[in-house]
Amino acid sequence: MSHQEKHPLDPGEGSRIFIAAVVLKHPGQLTPFFDITDPEAAPTITLGSEIFNGWGGNAAKNGGLDFCYDAELGIAGNCRGLPGEGIEGLRGFHEPVRRLRDLGFKVIFSISNLPSERPIDVIPELAEKVVEIVRPTAIEVNLSCPNGMLDDGSFHPPVCNNAKASGELMQATRSRVGADQCLGIKDSAHVPTLRYNANVIEIMHLVRDTSPYIDFATGINTIAEQPFPE
């Protein structure tokens, strides 16, 4: 972050390690944070990613399994598929986020789209609703999940791999949330698998096309072909 001391997400003397999206998906999960008397003792938290239209995610079609944890290695992986209640579910976040805000916490609200949706059709309006209903410190637009679906049913690369589409999306989103709302993106690693190096040119183009509209970037999300025995 440039001029970090003036940035809305600057934690001051607190932790600069944030809880990422996918961990906190429901308003009830915020309750334990209410007991923390010093907000600088807790990290900035990210809620979501939430979606425009509700659906059950991958667990609904995968025998309930969408997350695994290897205690021996201390690593976790998920393929949750963005479960969520959609816009109607936003109302449940209003009061707990207000309470966290009053306690001095920084709250990032992450949003994304489902495979059946074009990002430009749902994300700008969803962002506007998040500002209106939830009033978080910042909104993170998740450009890094491979959620777009082709006609043959396969998934195409995440939006962040297409700098022009990302720029257009963030321009439209910025116009809906206004100049004062802290707005950012979540980026991917820009590699098809771990066997490749990051596509630096692709990253440079993404920076060029999105930077006029965003205040921060989160990284990284989604590296394909990760094996999990489960």
Side-chain angles (χ1 to χ4, degrees), residues 102-208:
D102 289 348
L103 289 170
F105 287 92
K106 314 264 187 188
V107 179
I108 304 171
F109 206 97
S110 181
I111 59 176
S112 192
N113 63 283
L114 295 174
S116 59
E117 301 166 338
R118 294 175 66 241
I120 196 73
D121 291 340
V122 294
I123 285 179
E125 183 176 352
L126 178 56
E128 184 177 36
K129 290 294 184 182
V130 169
V131 172
E132 175 188 330
I133 298 171
V134 183
R135 296 181 58 210
T137 311
I139 295 175
E140 172 192 276
V141 178
N142 182 356
L143 302 179
S144 53
C145 283
N147 289 331
M149 185 174 287
L150 302 175
D151 292 339
D152 63 2
S154 63
F155 291 95
H156 67 59
V159 180
C160 60
N161 288 20
N162 185 325
K164 183 175 184 293
S166 296
E168 292 173 351
L169 176 61
M170 296 315 299
Q171 181 181 31
T173 304
R174 173 58 76 188
S175 69
R176 296 292 286 264
V177 302
D180 295 334
Q181 174 63 51
C182 185
L183 178 68
I185 60 172
K186 179 187 281 185
D187 195 12
S188 77
H190 294 272
V191 292
T193 74
L194 285 173
R195 296 189 298 272
Y196 291 80
N197 293 322
N199 187 331
V200 176
I201 299 300
E202 195 171 82
I203 296 170
M204 291 173 62
H205 289 170
L206 181 71
V207 171
R208 177 197 66 199

